[in-house]
């Protein structure tokens, strides 16, 4: 890209938990790979700060918390920014987490949103927030990183995708992730058909794995993703194969043991 212009605008949704450093580092590696700019977004619920206080005391408490939270975010960002020589901006807001996230996504409409997948009931950015984000985003690719993911670079990545079809925008994202890599892309599919239709993809090679539709098909697919050392599984949000369970995206997010990217429609 010419000058400071970046191809992708990447937003990083942080909850400032112990996993935040890993999530932000991963977002930086992604930005380096696909020519992206980065902005961190953090929401803090006011109910945890000013509950029971008088109005004057609440304002004072909120101001104090604002200063300490900004200092914490700046410390996290500056370490990575200086190391990578990369400018990272941030936004801090207070209020209802889901409402603030919804408004942010509607206003900013990032190309890629990066967030950590937390175990249930361990924080405000639990799986319910992950599900909420996916429901709110049709035009944004969502990269989801689990607490136990061992993932440090997008260089020469073992990439896979799930579903029968990819939209043109999906192809572009995968091409940018696979830039200069000769490793095959793994294609995972669930179908009732005996044979798979052959597709021509604009990368070096595709290796397909087909699973027969059934009660255990998704479990088999998720296990095979791990067995094949797939490091990132891309899931097209508009895939017709998402009709085989009531909530397939949520099921894959819950069961998969690798980072996931839910591709925009």
């Amino acid at each position: 890209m010419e000058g400071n212009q970046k191809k992708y605008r990447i937003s990083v949704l942080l909850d400032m938990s112990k996993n935040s450093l890993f999530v932000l580092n991963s977002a930086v590696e992604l930005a380096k790979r696909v020519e992206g700019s980065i902005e961190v977004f953090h929401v803090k619920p006011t109910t945890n700060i000013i509950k029971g206080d008088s109005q004057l005391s609440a304002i004072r408490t909120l101001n104090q918390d604002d200063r300490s939270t900004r200092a914490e975010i700046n410390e996290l960002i500056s370490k990575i920014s200086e190391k990578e020589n990369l400018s990272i901006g941030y936004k801090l807001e207070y209020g209802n987490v889901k409402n603030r996230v919804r408004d942010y996504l509607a206003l900013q409409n990032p190309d890629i949103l990066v967030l950590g997948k937390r175990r249930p009931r361990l924080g405000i950015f639990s799986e319910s927030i992950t599900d909420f984000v996916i429901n709110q985003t049709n035009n944004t690719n969502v990269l989801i990183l689990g607490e136990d993911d061992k993932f440090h670079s997008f260089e020469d990545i073992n990439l896979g995708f799930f579903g029968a079809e990819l939209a043109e925008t999906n192809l572009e994202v995968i091409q940018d992730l696979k830039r200069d890599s000769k490793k095959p892309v793994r294609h995972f599919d669930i179908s009732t058909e005996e044979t798979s239709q052959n597709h021509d993809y604009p990368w070096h090679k595709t290796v397909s794995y087909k699973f027969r539709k059934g009660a255990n098909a998704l479990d088999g697919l998720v296990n095979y993703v791990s067995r094949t050392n797939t490091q990132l599984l891309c899931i097209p949000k508009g895939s017709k194969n998402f009709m085989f369970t009531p909530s397939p995206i949520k099921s894959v997010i819950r069961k998969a043991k690798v980072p996931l990217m839910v591709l925009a429609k």
Side-chain angles (χ1 to χ4, degrees):
M1 308 295 289
E2 296 182 1
N4 294 324
Q5 184 181 1
K6 301 294 185 180
K7 183 173 183 179
Y8 294 92
R9 291 182 300 109
I10 302 173
S11 292
V12 188
L13 193 59
L14 291 186
D15 62 356
M16 300 309 295
S17 68
K18 65 180 181 179
N19 198 39
S20 291
L21 180 60
F22 166 70
V23 172
L24 185 54
N25 268 320
S26 298
V28 169
E29 291 298 321
L30 174 63
K32 289 159 57 177
R33 184 65 176 171
V34 300
E35 296 289 344
S37 62
I38 294 183
E39 179 177 78
V40 166
F41 183 57
H42 175 58
V43 182
K44 207 159 190 185
T46 51
T47 53
N48 295 342
I49 302 170
I50 62 177
K51 186 177 181 179
D53 287 349
S54 66
Q55 184 175 2
L56 183 60
S57 177
I59 293 174
R60 186 183 301 114
T61 302
L62 193 61
N63 287 337
Q64 291 173 346
D65 186 87
D66 183 85
R67 288 192 294 271
S68 63
T69 302
R70 289 183 186 276
E72 184 182 3
I73 296 174
N74 273 315
E75 182 180 5
L76 176 65
I77 288 176
S78 61
K79 291 179 181 178
I80 300 175
S81 182
E82 291 174 7
K83 177 183 177 182
E84 300 292 345
N85 191 27
L86 177 68
S87 176
I88 302 175
Y90 79 88
K91 283 184 171 64
L92 168 64
E93 293 189 10
Y94 288 81
N96 179 276
V97 175
K98 288 184 179 180
N99 290 345
R100 297 287 80 78
V101 169
R102 180 199 61 210
D103 294 344
Y104 175 84
L105 293 173
L107 180 63
Q108 300 298 328
N109 194 27
D111 299 301
I112 302 173
L113 180 69
V114 182
L115 72 159
K117 179 179 68 172
R118 301 290 303 280
R119 293 189 179 94
R121 298 181 298 277
L122 291 183
I124 60 169
F125 282 81
S126 62
E127 284 187 312
S128 62
I129 292 295
T130 304
D131 297 340
F132 176 79
V133 164
I134 291 173
N135 291 335
Q136 292 293 316
T137 55
N138 284 328
N139 301 317
T140 296
N141 304 292
V142 182
L143 174 62
I144 304 168
L145 300 159
E147 286 184 314
D148 299 323
D149 290 336
K150 308 298 181 185
F151 189 66
H152 302 287
S153 174
F154 286 83
E155 293 294 328
D156 207 23
I157 190 173
N158 289 322
L159 189 68
F161 73 92
F162 166 66
E165 298 179 358
L166 289 171
E168 287 298 322
T169 52
N170 299 160
L171 293 174
E172 185 175 9
V173 171
I174 293 178
Q175 279 186 278
D176 288 335
L177 287 168
K178 291 296 293 180
R179 174 170 44 87
D180 302 327
S181 174
K182 297 300 182 183
K183 288 184 177 180
V185 175
R186 293 178 174 86
H187 170 217
F188 301 91
D189 192 15
I190 295 177
S191 176
T192 57
E193 299 175 2
E194 291 293 336
T195 59
S196 296
Q197 182 179 355
N198 292 325
H199 296 277
D200 292 325
Y201 298 108
W203 44 74
H204 176 63
K205 185 179 180 182
T206 303
V207 178
S208 293
Y209 302 87
K210 184 177 178 181
F211 298 81
R212 292 297 304 272
K213 183 177 179 180
N216 298 320
L218 185 58
D219 289 332
L221 185 148
V222 168
N223 289 333
Y224 222 78
V225 166
S226 297
R227 287 173 58 188
T228 55
N229 196 31
T230 299
Q231 295 169 296
L232 177 64
L233 181 64
C234 297
I235 310 172
K237 191 173 183 182
S239 173
K240 294 179 181 178
N241 277 332
F242 281 167
M243 299 301 292
F244 77 91
T245 68
S247 185
I249 296 181
K250 294 177 183 179
S251 297
V252 173
I253 291 172
R254 186 176 67 253
K255 295 181 178 184
K257 299 178 178 63
V258 301
L260 304 168
M261 182 174 285
V262 180
L263 300 173
K265 285 186 178 179

